[in-house]
Amino acid sequence: KELCKTAGIQVIDTFIQRRPHPDPKYVVGKGKIEEIALKALDNNIDLLIFNNNLTPNQMRSIAKETDLRIIDRTMLILDIFAKHAKSSEGKLQVELAQMRYTLPRLVEKDTAMSRLSGGIGLRGPGETKLEMNRRRARERIQSLEQQIEKLANQRSLKRKKRDDSFIPVISLIGYTNAGKSTLLNALTQSNVETANKLFSTLDTTIRRIRFPQEREVIIADTVGFIRDLPSDLIAAFRATLEELAHSNLLIHLVDVSDENYDDKIQSVLNILEQLDLMEIASILVFNKNDLVNYAVLQTRIQKFQAISISAVNKNGLDNLLDHIERRLWHNATLSQ
C-alpha cells in the first residue's frame, strides 16, 4: 500500500489468499482470480498489482483471465525509481534494472509473424521482430553497463583523492523513509529534498561536517533499503551501494515509531550481509523519538542498545555527534 501511495496509485481493494504454494498459473486459485476480475469489473478498475513477483507466464495468464493490466511488486518499485531518479547515473541504473527485468518478458505477440520460410529469396530472411527486440535489449543493457562502469571508475578516482586526504566517510543507511535526508539536513544545515514517501532519495548526496580540533568528515545520504529489494535493482545499483564498503562508519537509521521497526532493522541487516558490509563499524540510531510514548521508546532502546534522536526537532543530535566522534577518533566502546 505504501508503494502504491508513493507511485500515486489509489488502492480500491486488497485480496489475500493463504496457500501452501502459489498457483503456478494464476498465483492465487482459479476461483479467487475470477472473484478479483468480477470486483475489478464492478469498480471500473484497470490495474491489478501483485505483491508477489510474477513469472512471465503468470503475468500473461492473469492478464488473459482478467483482461486487466498486470504489474508485480518489482515493476511497481522500478516505476517509483524511474520517477525519482534525477542524476544521469541514477537514470542509467534504473533503466538498466528495467531492461534486465523486461528482457525475459519479451514475448512474440503474433506467431504469424514468425520466421518466414520457403520461396526463392525468402529462405532464412533473418530475425523475427521478437528476436530483434531481444537483441536490441541486450545491446542496450551492455551499453548501460559500460556507461555505469565508466561513472563508477570516475567515482573511484574521487574516492582515492578523499582517501589520500584522510577524511573519514560516514554513510547514512536504513529502510526507506526512515528520515536519512532529514538527518543529513539537520547535521549539515543543508536543504536536500525530503518527502514522506518511499525512495525519495535515489542519488547519493555528500556533505561535510566539521568537528572540533579542525577535524572534518564526509557524510553521505544513500538510497533507502526495502524488504526483498528486487535483485535487478541491487545489481543495477551495486556500483552505488558498493560505495558503502569504503565508509569508515555506518549510521543505521530506524523509524522507531514504525510498528514493524524491528522487521525493518532485520531487512537492512540482510541487505548489508548480501553486500558483504557487516564488518563495517555502525551505530544504530532510532529516529522520530518524538512520535513514540516515552516508556515504549525506552524499552525499544534497551532492547537494541540504540541511541535515539528526532531529526526534525534536532533533539539528541549532540549525543549522536559525540558517539560519531568517539567511534571515529577514539575507537571507544560506547556506553548507550
Side-chain angles (χ1 to χ4, degrees), residues 208-253:
R208 292 195 179 209
I209 304 180
R210 184 173 292 276
F211 279 81
Q213 301 176 21
E214 297 303 309
R215 290 168 171 159
E216 270 194 338
V217 302
I218 289 169
I219 185 163
D221 183 17
T222 61
V223 61
F225 295 171
I226 191 169
R227 176 181 57 83
D228 300 330
L229 194 65
S231 57
D232 289 314
L233 271 177
I234 291 180
F237 278 79
R238 182 167 288 279
T240 302
L241 292 170
E242 281 176 351
E243 282 282 289
L244 296 173
H246 299 276
S247 305
N248 299 93
L249 183 65
L250 302 177
I251 303 296
H252 180 177
L253 200 64

Side-chain angles (χ1 to χ4, degrees), residues 99-198:
M99 294 298 292
R100 281 177 171 162
Y101 191 74
T102 303
L103 180 58
R105 288 160 175 78
L106 287 174
V107 295
E108 184 65 271
K109 290 183 180 176
D110 186 358
T111 53
M113 292 296 291
S114 60
R115 189 184 298 272
L116 297 169
S117 62
I120 297 171
L122 296 177
R123 215 171 270 114
E127 297 171 305
T128 63
K129 187 175 180 182
L130 172 63
E131 287 166 338
M132 199 186 319
N133 288 340
R134 283 178 172 159
R135 179 172 58 80
R136 285 176 178 165
R138 281 191 289 267
E139 287 172 353
R140 181 60 181 159
I141 286 171
Q142 187 176 11
S143 171
L144 289 167
E145 287 173 339
Q146 289 170 350
Q147 291 178 68
I148 290 169
E149 181 67 24
K150 187 176 178 181
L151 289 169
N153 290 335
Q154 291 173 3
R155 222 180 20 248
S156 180
L157 290 172
K158 290 180 183 176
R159 188 171 59 241
K160 188 176 184 305
K161 287 181 181 177
R162 288 204 306 262
D163 292 344
D164 290 344
S165 61
F166 303 109
I167 300 176
V169 177
I170 300 168
S171 291
L172 301 177
I173 63 166
Y175 207 86
T176 183
N177 206 27
K180 296 182 293 299
S181 297
T182 305
L183 177 58
L184 181 75
N185 288 338
L187 290 175
T188 64
Q189 286 76 55
S190 300
N191 193 27
V192 174
E193 181 183 347
T194 62
N196 185 27
K197 57 176 67 171
L198 309 184

